[in-house]
Each structure stands twice: as structure tokens, then as C-alpha cells.
Amino acid sequence: DQQVKQNSPSLSVQEGRISILNCDYTNSMFDYFLWYKKYPAEGPTFLISISSIKDKNEDGRFTVFLNKSAKHLSLHIVPSQPGDSAVYFCAASFGNEKLTFGTGTRLTIIP
Amino acid sequence: KAGVTQTPRYLIKTRGQQVTLSCSPISGHRSVSWYQQTPGQGLQFLFEYFSETQRNKGNFPGRFSGRQFSNSRSEMNVSTLELGDSALYLCASSLVAGGSYNEQFFGPGTRLTVL
């Protein structure tokens, strides 16, 4: 049972435009959400997180939006840069439970 | 500060063999989690150790086991390897246990190929 879903395996965006990556979850207990970025031959690195008490969190070019009623979160990257080309994983957790990851979206920024 | 290290980086085994992977967490981190990454499946949680105790376990068969030592280093073992065990195995360390409000730092992974 995939509790965290990323329905788009890949996404291509032109440099300078906005990249929007989506993630849906089914477990209403989740109260903490994260995005990780992964380059080939490297482990994932933490990008940004959001608590369920918020609906938006920004960090530079990265903004995460959380819609609890729809059980949906999204990551916006503005403007997109070539170095943003990577696989992005969303993840969720609650309490002291483990992180549950999505299947990932491969983002390609076209120069 | 040194990051999470995993050894070996690459491994080739044949079906039926067993394998041990090692993970050294960031100094001061007491929690180590293991994940399996395969194409289309994302990161599947294997288990989490904190202060030498297994705290959480994922839905993997008993062939997958792990342990943590007093210096927080961790090993995972896979016995009777199957072709489907071919994957990237990632280790992550964190200060405390659990996923909430607790950033996990990942190592580069061990790429296991089972022939």
C-alpha cells in the first residue's frame, strides 16, 4: 500500500520557468512532510519541510505548499536552473514513526 | 564534519549468497535507518536503529537483518540473495529517532547486483 504517491515519474521544464512537483498521501496521521533531492551516484539530500500546522513554507527558490483537505503537497521551484535537474522525493511522517517516501519524480531542466 | 559513509560502494553477488553492508553515521548521530531503492519503487524502509535497538521495521522478509554497535555504526545483512534484491541500499543517520522534525542525512549508498 503506497501511502505517499508521486504520480508523475518525470517532468521537463525550461530553464527560468516554474517547476511544480506534486505528491499525494493517504494516511491522515501524517503531520510532517519533506522533500529530498537526489543526484545520480549520491544519496538524497534534504531540501525543505513543512509541518501540518502550516500550509506554506519558503526557502529561497523553493516553496512547499500543503493542502491537508486534499492530502496533497507540492514543491515549486522558481526560477528553475539546470542544477535543479535531479530526482525529487517527497516523504511524510508522524510522531516517532519512520519516514515514508514516494516513488520520486525525475526533473529535467532544459537550457 | 564528515558525512555518512557506506561501504562497499559496489557489490556483485550470486543468488544464494549472503552479503553484509556497513554504514558509519555522522559523529554524534545515534539513529541509523536503512532503505532500499529500486526503479519505480522509490525508497522502501528496511529498519531503523537507535542506541543499538531496532525501533522500526519495514515489510521485508526475515532474510534482511541489521544491527547497530555501541559507536552507532550499523550493518545490514541479506542472506540467501535473490535476483530481486538487486538495488541501491541507502543508509541515513540522524540525531534522534523517527521521521518528524528530524533531518536524516543520507550516505551515497551501496549498489548491490545479484547475478
Side-chain angles (χ1 to χ4, degrees), chain A:
Chain A
D1 174 33
Q2 193 72 29
Q3 296 187 57
V4 178
K5 300 176 187 179
Q6 293 177 257
N7 293 317
S8 298
S10 63
L11 176 67
S12 294
V13 174
Q14 283 217 299
E15 182 179 357
R17 307 292 289 267
I18 182 171
S19 294
I20 300 176
L21 294 96
N22 294 304
C23 180
D24 297 296
Y25 61 95
T26 57
N27 190 340
S28 56
M29 297 285 290
F30 287 144
D31 63 2
Y32 188 67
F33 305 87
L34 311 88
W35 285 93
Y36 277 82
K37 174 179 176 178
K38 185 180 185 299
Y39 292 118
E42 295 182 14
T45 54
F46 170 76
L47 200 53
I48 192 168
S49 64
I50 187 167
S51 160
S52 61
I53 62 173
K54 294 185 173 183
D55 53 20
K56 178 182 172 182
N57 188 26
E58 283 181 86
D59 184 0
R61 297 186 298 114
F62 303 91
T63 303
V64 56
F65 295 91
L66 176 62
N67 182 332
K68 289 183 289 294
S69 60
K71 293 192 177 68
H72 177 83
L73 68 155
S74 61
L75 174 69
H76 291 209
I77 306 173
V78 185
S80 300
Q81 299 174 354
D84 296 330
S85 294
V87 177
Y88 289 79
F89 292 97
C90 66
S93 180
F94 66 93
N96 283 326
E97 292 300 308
K98 61 179 177 66
L99 275 180
T100 300
F101 282 85
T103 51
T105 296
R106 181 177 301 279
L107 175 64
T108 302
I109 305 302
I110 304 164

Side-chain angles (χ1 to χ4, degrees), chain B residues 75-89:
Chain B
E75 288 180 349
M76 68 162 279
N77 184 277
V78 188
S79 62
T80 321
L81 283 166
E82 300 177 359
L83 295 178
D85 296 333
S86 294
L88 180 68
Y89 290 87

Side-chain angles (χ1 to χ4, degrees), chain B residues 52-70:
Chain B
E52 301 178 67
T53 301
Q54 188 180 88
R55 283 196 70 256
N56 276 309
K57 190 175 192 306
N59 295 325
F60 279 81
R63 300 185 295 107
F64 291 81
S65 63
R67 57 179 176 168
Q68 186 181 34
F69 302 95
S70 58

